[in-house]
Amino acid sequence: MRWLVPVLAALLLLIQWPLWFGKGGWFRVWDLERQLLAQRAANDSLSAQIATLAAETRSLKEGHEAVEERARSELGMIRSDETFFQLVAAPAAASSASSASSASSVRARLQGPATAAAK
């Protein structure tokens, strides 16, 4: 009789082992559910990208505005009736010196010729 309880406990553990740790066990199911949620999130992100690309493709096929926008931004093209202006920024050292001289010339203009000559 003493050996019956340990034998039954061992049989119970042997029966439970595949339920928890086997190929279709609970731990495996929980891991697969976690992977499924991650894959669904990735699929949703990719679906949004596909929808954006489909809308852009449709716009390029049907309208001229999208083609013109691409030509302007990617190729730097302009229309024949437009004038192209390119603004070049001054270097940092030169811009600080020129701003100081321009500030003094503005002060001289504001004060008038008599006060500027007196200085």
Side-chain angles (χ1 to χ4, degrees):
M1 187 69 150
R2 290 184 179 209
W3 55 271
L4 186 62
V5 173
V7 169
L8 289 177
L11 285 175
L12 182 64
L13 286 175
L14 286 174
I15 292 172
Q16 290 289 317
W17 185 266
L19 177 66
W20 292 97
F21 303 108
K23 186 175 182 179
W26 284 108
F27 291 125
R28 176 87 170 130
V29 170
W30 289 331
D31 185 46
L32 289 175
E33 285 177 354
R34 184 188 53 79
Q35 289 177 10
L36 180 65
L37 289 176
Q39 189 62 49
R40 282 186 179 159
N43 288 352
D44 291 342
S45 172
L46 291 174
S47 294
Q49 288 179 358
I50 289 171
T52 303
L53 290 173
E56 186 176 349
T57 303
R58 192 176 328 103
S59 175
L60 287 171
K61 284 182 180 179
E62 294 172 359
H64 296 289
E65 293 84 17
V67 174
E68 183 179 338
E69 179 185 347
R70 279 267 173 115
R72 288 176 181 273
S73 66
E74 294 178 7
L75 301 175
M77 299 179 82
I78 59 172
R79 282 192 252 151
S80 60
D81 61 340
E82 294 179 332
T83 305
F84 177 71
F85 292 98
Q86 183 176 5
L87 302 176
V88 179
S95 70
S96 63
S98 67
S99 65
S101 65
S102 66
S104 64
S105 66
V106 169
R107 272 192 239 112
R109 276 189 252 138
L110 290 176
Q111 291 174 353
T115 341
K119 287 187 175 182

